[in-house]
Amino acid sequence: QVQLVESGGGLGQAGGSLRLSCAASRGTFSSGVMGWFRQAPGKEREFVAAIRWSATSATSTSYANSVKGRFTISRDNTKNTVYLQMNSLKAEDTAVYYCALDQNWASGVHGYSDYYDYWGQGTQVTVSS
């Protein structure tokens, strides 16, 4: 059973930066899709960013329009960890952030939550204005 563990959340200031990490344990994946989602109080969960990788193809990424140009998703294959670098934070970025794994590389880089097989427990990000 794959486990995803997020870390790096906390309190940030508007205009500042935070970096989230998502470490996958109990498995090493030569290919797949990892996504970040978030859910603010009273709102539905929404897609933030995703990264698709494999040993034989170039890595591809996708971002929600609301974070494009401010957030960067990346992966360290040696650590089986995906990162979400969040810059120029805004109050509306406040949410619980979840990472998720789609083991099927052929899904493409996407934000369809139903396609993700495993989810982390979430980490709170609060941005003060």
Side-chain angles (χ1 to χ4, degrees):
Q1 181 77 5
V2 174
Q3 286 190 336
L4 303 178
V5 179
E6 301 103 335
S7 61
L11 180 64
Q13 290 189 334
S17 299
L18 286 173
R19 189 177 80 156
L20 305 183
S21 301
C22 176
S25 63
R26 301 184 184 177
T28 301
F29 306 97
S30 60
S31 65
V33 185
M34 190 79 84
W36 284 98
F37 294 78
R38 67 186 182 186
Q39 187 166 20
K43 295 187 177 181
E44 293 187 354
R45 184 171 56 192
E46 65 174 0
F47 168 72
V48 176
I51 185 167
R52 183 177 79 154
W53 75 94
S54 78
T56 57
S57 299
T59 298
S60 55
T61 58
S62 177
Y63 298 91
N65 288 334
S66 59
V67 306
K68 200 172 293 184
R70 300 189 298 121
F71 290 10
T72 302
I73 189 170
S74 62
R75 173 175 168 83
D76 185 335
N77 292 331
T78 64
K79 297 181 179 180
N80 226 16
T81 299
V82 170
Y83 303 97
L84 184 68
Q85 178 66 44
M86 306 186 294
N87 298 330
S88 302
L89 287 167
K90 303 177 180 180
E92 51 263 43
D93 294 322
T94 296
V96 177
Y97 283 71
Y98 300 89
C99 65
L101 171 67
D102 176 355
Q103 298 180 90
N104 185 9
W105 177 89
S107 297
V109 59
H110 66 89
Y112 302 111
S113 59
D114 288 348
Y115 286 18
Y116 286 87
D117 306 301
Y118 300 97
W119 291 80
Q121 81 288 352
T123 185
Q124 176 70 46
V125 170
T126 302
V127 181
S128 62
S129 57

